[in-house]
Amino acid sequence: MKRFQSPGSLQSWCLQKRLENNPIALVPTMGFLHAGHVSLIRKARKAAGPTGIVIVTLYVNPTQFGQGEDFDAYPRDLKRDLAICRSEGVNAVFTPSHGSMYASPYSTYVNETLLSRQWEGIQRPSHFRGVTTIVSKLFLLTQPHVAVFGEKDFQQAMIIRQMTRDLHFPIRILLGPTLREKDGLAMSSRNAYLTENQRGQATVLYQMIQLARKELRFDPHRKWTSSRLGSVTQKLLQATPLIRLDYMAFVDPHTLQQAKTIRKGIRMLLAAYAGKTRLIDNGSL
Ligand code: PAF
C-alpha cells in the first residue's frame, strides 16, 4: 500500500494511473475508521474491480469544523487506520498535513448554496462549505471515476451529488448504507465521545425512525402528516433525558425540503445532542 502525504505526489501518481486506464475509486474519510468505513472501502473495491485502484483519504479537515466545535478533540488513530486499509487491500492512502492542503494564504472555497442552507447548515453554518471545498480538492487530486460516501451523512451526500453535477466533475457518486451497532445506534467516529449513560440513550434516534416506519406499516392507508408522525415519534424522547433533540424533519430526499405529508421515499432526518456530542441519523420511510 502506498502512502502519500504531499498533494502533488498523490496527484501525479493518480494522473499516471488514469493514463494507464486504471479505474480509480476514492473513499474520503476523516480517519478513526470503523465498520461503516470498511463497508465503503469494500464498495469502492467492487466498483474499481480487483485490479483497479482504491484510494482512502484520512484527513481531519479543519475547514468543516466551526468555532468551538470538536476539531482538536476529534478522535484519531492513524496506526490503526493504516492497518485497516492495508488489510482491506487499499492501494493508496493520503494523509496530508494542514499546511499542504491549505497553504497560507488560503482563500478559495467551494460553496453549494441550496441544500446546504438547511438542517445541519443552520447549526453549523460553515460546515458544508468546508466539506465541499475539501471534497473538490480530493476529487482534483485523485481524479477518481467513482467516489463513495456514507448515507449516514445524508445531507452531506446529497450536497456532494449536487456539487458533482453542478461543477461537471466526471465522477460517479456511490452511497453506502448506514451501518449500525447491534442496538441500532448508527456507527460514527463521534460515538467514542459518549458516556455510558449517553450511549445507552443514544439509540433513541434509531428507535424514532423505526417507530415511524412501524406506524406507517400499521396504518398504510391513513394520510399521515409530518407533524402528526413527528409528535408520535417524539414521545420516545420522554424516556431519554440525556438526548436533546435539535431537529427532526421529514423531507423530500432530493430537495431536502420539509414534506407536509408522508409518502414513500420521504427521509426522516434527526439531529440531537448528548452533552456536547452531536448525533445525527436518518432513514427512508
Ligand atoms: O464524511 C466525512 O467523513 C467528511 O465530511 C469528508 C467527506 C471525508 C470530508 O472531510
Side-chain angles (χ1 to χ4, degrees), residues 28-30 37 57 59 61 64 74 127 131 134-135 138 149 153 156 160:
T29 81
M30 298 209 296
H37 294 112
T57 66
Y59 179 58
N61 170 40
Q64 67 189 77
Y74 196 84
H127 170 64
V131 171
I134 192 68
V135 170
L138 295 173
F149 296 87
D153 296 296
Q156 166 177 284
I160 289 169

Side-chain angles (χ1 to χ4, degrees), residues 119-120 123 201-209 226-227 229-250 258 268-282:
W119 314 121
E120 285 305 285
Q123 272 294 327
Q201 295 188 13
T203 52
V204 70
L205 299 186
Y206 182 59
Q207 287 162 9
M208 288 166 78
I209 297 172
S226 296
S227 62
L229 195 56
S231 38
V232 170
T233 52
Q234 278 198 49
K235 287 201 178 119
L236 291 179
L237 288 166
Q238 287 166 4
T240 58
L242 298 179
I243 307 300
R244 186 164 50 82
L245 190 68
D246 178 17
Y247 62 78
M248 181 188 59
F250 300 95
Q258 180 108 37
M268 183 170 178
L269 303 181
L270 293 146
Y273 286 97
K276 282 192 182 156
T277 305
R278 190 169 177 80
L279 301 167
I280 57 171
D281 204 343
N282 72 85

Side-chain angles (χ1 to χ4, degrees), residues 15-242:
L15 286 170
Q16 185 57 39
K17 292 293 168 198
R18 259 200 98 114
L19 280 178
E20 291 163 6
N21 273 332
N22 289 294
I24 301 179
L26 171 70
V27 186
T29 81
M30 298 209 296
F32 208 65
L33 303 180
H34 51 66
H37 294 112
V38 170
S39 73
L40 303 182
I41 294 172
R42 291 181 182 170
K43 202 172 182 72
R45 169 56 66 206
K46 205 161 165 214
T51 57
I53 303 292
V54 172
I55 303 171
V56 175
T57 66
L58 304 164
Y59 179 58
V60 184
N61 170 40
T63 61
Q64 67 189 77
F65 290 78
Q67 282 222 329
E69 287 188 359
D70 56 343
F71 173 69
D72 289 325
Y74 196 84
R76 293 161 169 89
D77 190 343
L78 183 59
K79 214 168 140 198
R80 195 171 149 269
D81 290 346
L82 293 176
I84 292 174
C85 289
R86 211 170 284 116
S87 73
E88 287 299 318
V90 167
N91 301 90
V93 293
F94 182 46
T95 58
S97 66
H98 300 312
S100 68
M101 289 309 278
Y102 295 103
S104 174
Y106 188 87
S107 56
T108 305
Y109 292 88
V110 175
N111 215 0
E112 192 283 332
T113 58
L114 195 62
L115 305 177
S116 64
R117 297 269 162 91
Q118 336 170 48
W119 314 121
E120 285 305 285
I122 294 170
Q123 272 294 327
R124 310 183 68 195
S126 58
H127 170 64
F128 288 122
R129 182 181 88 145
V131 171
T132 43
T133 299
I134 192 68
V135 170
S136 303
K137 285 157 77 74
L138 295 173
F139 283 178
L140 292 167
L141 291 176
T142 59
Q143 310 276 322
H145 297 84
V146 169
V148 189
F149 296 87
E151 258 184 29
K152 152 87 171 35
D153 296 296
F154 187 74
Q155 185 177 5
Q156 166 177 284
M158 293 303 111
I159 291 169
I160 289 169
R161 277 221 159 121
Q162 177 77 27
M163 174 194 81
T164 303
R165 205 196 67 187
D166 288 351
L167 298 185
H168 309 283
F169 281 116
I171 301 171
R172 196 153 56 94
I173 305 297
L174 298 182
L175 301 186
T178 304
L179 256 65
R180 298 183 179 280
E181 305 291 352
K182 279 205 182 80
D183 61 2
L185 179 68
M187 287 187 187
S188 160
S189 306
R190 287 194 168 98
N191 292 348
Y193 299 145
L194 298 172
T195 64
E196 207 182 318
N197 287 341
Q198 291 170 342
R199 170 67 189 80
Q201 295 188 13
T203 52
V204 70
L205 299 186
Y206 182 59
Q207 287 162 9
M208 288 166 78
I209 297 172
Q210 290 293 73
L211 178 59
R213 287 175 174 154
K214 196 169 134 205
E215 292 289 345
L216 295 174
R217 262 202 319 269
F218 182 68
D219 202 352
H221 301 299
R222 177 177 182 158
K223 202 163 180 214
W224 278 95
T225 62
S226 296
S227 62
R228 172 96 190 95
L229 195 56
S231 38
V232 170
T233 52
Q234 278 198 49
K235 287 201 178 119
L236 291 179
L237 288 166
Q238 287 166 4
T240 58
L242 298 179

